[in-house]
């Protein structure tokens, strides 16, 4: 959210834990929505975004938009990310 605010975007966050699931899902004027990876396509919020034609992107897609013309190493998976990150840092240093 910080990067988007810095770029002068208006940021609205939804969090089921905060109890704002009752908010109206009118996304008029939204340019795009950034979804966390754990939100399923079946979620009411995602359905509303799709019905209203709002572009949906991932956090990674958002980050890549600001990392153009740079080399990126992506480390994914369930286990071993810290170890692999440390090994890559060691090799690059």
């Amino acid at each position: 959210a910080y990067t988007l605010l810095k770029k002068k975007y208006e940021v609205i966050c939804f969090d089921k834990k905060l109890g704002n699931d009752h908010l109206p899902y009118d996304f008029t004027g939204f340019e795009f929505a950034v979804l966390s990876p754990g939100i399923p396509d079946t979620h009411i919020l995602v359905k509303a975004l799709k019905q209203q034609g709002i572009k949906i992107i991932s956090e990674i897609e958002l980050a890549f938009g600001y990392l153009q013309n740079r080399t990126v190493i992506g480390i994914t998976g369930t286990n071993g990310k810290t170890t692999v990150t440390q090994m890559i840092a060691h090799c690059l240093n």
Side-chain angles (χ1 to χ4, degrees):
Y2 177 75
T3 299
L4 292 173
L5 290 169
K6 205 170 168 186
K7 296 283 185 181
K8 305 294 184 207
Y9 280 96
E10 180 180 356
V11 177
I12 299 172
C13 297
F14 289 86
D15 189 333
K16 189 174 182 180
K17 293 178 186 173
L18 296 177
N20 57 6
D21 208 30
H22 66 282
L23 293 173
Y25 296 113
D26 179 8
F27 301 108
T28 304
F30 279 52
E31 186 176 335
F32 59 90
V34 182
L35 295 184
S36 294
I39 301 175
D41 285 347
T42 56
H43 191 280
I44 189 170
L45 181 64
V46 178
K47 288 180 179 179
L49 288 163
K50 287 180 177 181
Q51 284 177 337
Q52 295 175 41
I54 305 301
K55 181 180 179 180
I56 299 173
I57 64 172
S58 68
E59 295 166 326
I60 292 173
E61 187 176 352
L62 175 68
F64 279 151
Y66 294 104
L67 297 173
Q68 294 175 0
N69 301 321
R70 296 186 184 180
T71 301
V72 176
I73 298 173
I75 303 167
T76 65
T78 304
N79 297 312
K81 290 184 294 296
T82 301
T83 302
V84 173
T85 300
Q86 290 171 341
M87 289 174 16
I88 291 172
H90 178 75
C91 290
L92 292 174
N93 289 326

